[in-house]
Amino acid sequence: MNPISPPARPHIAVHSTHFTPTSSTDWDDAWDSGSDSEEPRRGTIANSWKRKGSSSSSTAPKQVPPRSNSASSSSTLAFSYTHVNAPDPGSYPQPKTIEEAAPRSRVQNGWTIVRTSSDRKLSGDGETEPPRADHSTDADVEGDMILGELETDFDSGEPGASNTTTHLSTQSKQMAALVREDAEEIVNDPLQSIRQRAKRRDVSPGPSQRSQKQPGKQHDENSEKLMRERSIRTNRRHKFFDCLTGQDVNIAELRKLAWAGIPADFRPLAWQLLLGYLPLPASLRTATLARKRSEYLSMVELAFARGREGLDQQIWHQIEIDVPRTRPGVRLWMHAATQRSLERVLYVWAIRHPASGYVQGINDLATPFFQVFLSAYIDSDPEDFDPSVLPKNALDAIEADSFWCLSRLLDGIQDNYIFAQPGIVRSVKRMAELVSRIDAPLHAHLESQSVEFIQFAFRWMNCLLMREISVQNTIRMWDTYLAEGPDAFSQFHLYVCSAFLVRWSEKLRQMDFQGIIMFLQSLPTQDWGDHEIELLLSEAFVLNSIWHNAQSHFGK
């Protein structure tokens, strides 16, 4: 039976554009060629670029075709960005509960099948019918099988209903044991997490835990150094605790402390304060959280009230493509609960910002917020956790907080994602000019090899280096960005990218065009830790101090 067509919706104006380099150099992969296909990223380098004058047969970027009314229409972004005016939500009926729009999952024949509101259809009287037992399209079958493979990867045996269900149940119980007992209290009072963890971590060590001199052995310098570092960390923790638990947080003091990194258990509250999402007076936070989370919940209900048929198909199609390949290989982002939350966050943001809509790369920017806020409710590494075992109000709170903090971040760099992306163009141009002054030999070598900055720096600006470093590295970097202030994601990031490029100067000056492009698309940063990130931030701080007040040196 064919689904009944949904009620007529307001006209949606669509225009599509592709980014064009400022010079005549042909290139197809300025930030991530793999991101523009509908296949998930496999962790390989796609060399879909060609050098000036090359005989390569790579095709030029394609514009996104206008959306048709056909249910089977789709868009493939090949270095193009579609900007869609948001539909008027006033005509959408309100659902009774958010579950009507929320994704569902079940285990069927040993495979975990994730079903969303897109699997529901309207009957003649306007009511929704339950999902069909069969799959509607080949795409649905393929998507379900992929999810099934991910979920049964833990099981060494053949996929079967009994053993897989039992195994998943055991996994869920193990995950549930990692949820904090006071998770419900943390939802309403973020300070609860800090107070309890501070009590556990700041207990004075007993005799067996203290570093002591052993009889007959000299107390070596490494032990003394370790003790000094531990003392410094403890002192910083006490300063953070005093700052965050005050009745009225001193934001200047918090920024000063955060620049050098925020302890993990203090980070969720500190980020929300630094972004201005939470008010500084402690007495106002509970009411503010309740209001903002309720507002987000209402927006989700409104946006998904009519199921898939009521969504903006072009925006939703691209989000569906990007979400499954967000942070490939990290278990957290392979779980259905995480992916459904990310879909809702991205879609609601897109329809609230019609000037830009959803642009590839924004999905990456949401991941640090989700991981940081999730960490407040669990006693394990967020990257290995399945959020579906959390209490529902805790997961809703994480999702809402991630949405509002992502919105705050994007408000400062929205010209990176509007039509023609002028913010990125401007930043890449300034980066090239800055590098020509701080490392003239490197700049000259790139020019001699016909390498244009847009070919690699576009992605660095668009995704804030998140494709080059891990989420943990990104989180540490954002501690400093948030401490720098609201312009850091556009201004300070320029100096970070410049320092990042110059770091590889000696190697790059020994390479030709092909070697440079391949190296910059697959940098050896997999093993980076806090030390490397802090060194990079220090170098960027020096550049910022020298050049930020010398704007006349930059071209107009």
Side-chain angles (χ1 to χ4, degrees), residues 471-543:
V471 176
Q472 289 301 320
N473 290 163
T474 299
I475 289 171
R476 170 60 192 91
M477 185 181 292
W478 284 16
D479 287 345
T480 299
Y481 280 24
L482 293 173
E484 278 286 317
D487 295 331
F489 289 92
S490 56
Q491 299 298 322
F492 189 70
H493 184 67
L494 165 68
Y495 298 97
V496 171
C497 289
S498 300
F500 189 63
L501 177 64
V502 171
R503 182 186 183 92
W504 316 105
S505 177
E506 185 176 347
K507 289 184 178 181
L508 292 171
R509 283 186 277 118
Q510 307 301 318
M511 299 177 181
D512 60 6
F513 174 88
Q514 179 174 339
I516 292 170
I517 294 297
M518 293 185 67
F519 180 76
L520 292 177
Q521 286 185 343
S522 184
L523 288 163
T525 56
Q526 298 86 351
D527 297 327
W528 272 26
D530 285 353
H531 175 74
E532 288 79 9
I533 294 298
E534 287 164 1
L535 181 60
L536 176 65
L537 292 169
S538 298
E539 293 167 348
F541 178 79
V542 173
L543 294 177

Side-chain angles (χ1 to χ4, degrees), residues 372-393:
V372 167
F373 299 151
L374 170 62
S375 69
Y377 297 90
I378 61 176
D379 288 319
S380 71
D381 183 352
E383 292 194 352
D384 295 324
F385 190 78
D386 181 358
S388 66
V389 303
L390 287 170
K392 184 180 183 304
N393 60 342

Side-chain angles (χ1 to χ4, degrees), residues 220-432:
D220 61 41
E221 295 179 358
N222 289 335
S223 296
E224 292 181 357
K225 181 180 179 182
L226 182 62
M227 290 296 292
R228 285 196 300 270
E229 292 176 351
R230 183 178 300 171
S231 177
I232 292 172
R233 287 197 299 270
T234 301
N235 186 46
R236 290 192 74 245
R237 284 185 58 81
H238 284 309
K239 289 182 178 180
F240 267 107
F241 182 83
D242 292 341
C243 181
L244 293 174
T245 56
Q247 289 302 309
D248 195 348
V249 173
N250 183 331
I251 192 65
E253 178 67 15
L254 180 58
R255 291 188 191 282
K256 180 180 178 181
L257 290 170
W259 209 100
I262 305 173
D265 45 343
F266 296 149
R267 188 174 279 129
L269 177 58
W271 275 23
Q272 293 175 9
L273 291 167
L274 289 169
L275 280 162
Y277 171 52
L278 282 184
L280 299 179
S283 59
L284 302 178
R285 289 177 202 155
T286 300
T288 299
L289 282 175
R291 175 173 55 82
K292 299 298 287 185
R293 290 166 178 172
S294 177
E295 185 178 345
Y296 172 73
L297 199 64
S298 297
M299 289 189 292
V300 171
E301 292 177 354
L302 194 63
F304 291 86
R306 296 192 301 174
R308 181 171 185 142
E309 293 79 7
L311 302 179
D312 184 290
Q313 296 302 308
Q314 204 155 15
I315 292 176
W316 184 249
H317 176 71
Q318 192 59 49
I319 290 174
E320 277 192 315
I321 292 173
D322 287 352
V323 165
R325 61 190 182 191
T326 300
R327 309 311 304 183
V330 178
R331 289 194 182 278
L332 172 64
W333 299 100
M334 296 163 66
H335 291 298
T338 321
Q339 294 187 3
R340 302 296 82 76
S341 286
L342 183 57
E343 286 172 352
R344 290 189 289 268
V345 166
L346 297 177
Y347 184 78
V348 172
W349 188 89
I351 63 174
R352 279 174 54 90
H353 296 81
S356 60
Y358 172 74
V359 177
Q360 288 174 307
I362 295 179
N363 57 313
D364 289 319
L365 304 186
T367 59
F369 292 120
F370 195 95
Q371 286 190 204
V372 167
F373 299 151
L374 170 62
S375 69
Y377 297 90
I378 61 176
D379 288 319
S380 71
D381 183 352
E383 292 194 352
D384 295 324
F385 190 78
D386 181 358
S388 66
V389 303
L390 287 170
K392 184 180 183 304
N393 60 342
L395 183 55
D396 288 347
I398 295 167
E399 184 178 322
D401 295 345
S402 299
F403 169 82
W404 289 115
C405 289
L406 174 67
S407 298
R408 291 270 179 168
L409 184 156
L410 292 174
D411 284 348
I413 56 173
Q414 194 167 352
D415 60 348
N416 284 6
Y417 305 106
I418 61 176
F419 181 80
Q421 299 181 276
I424 292 180
V425 175
R426 182 170 59 252
S427 294
V428 171
K429 181 181 178 182
R430 291 188 64 202
M431 179 182 169

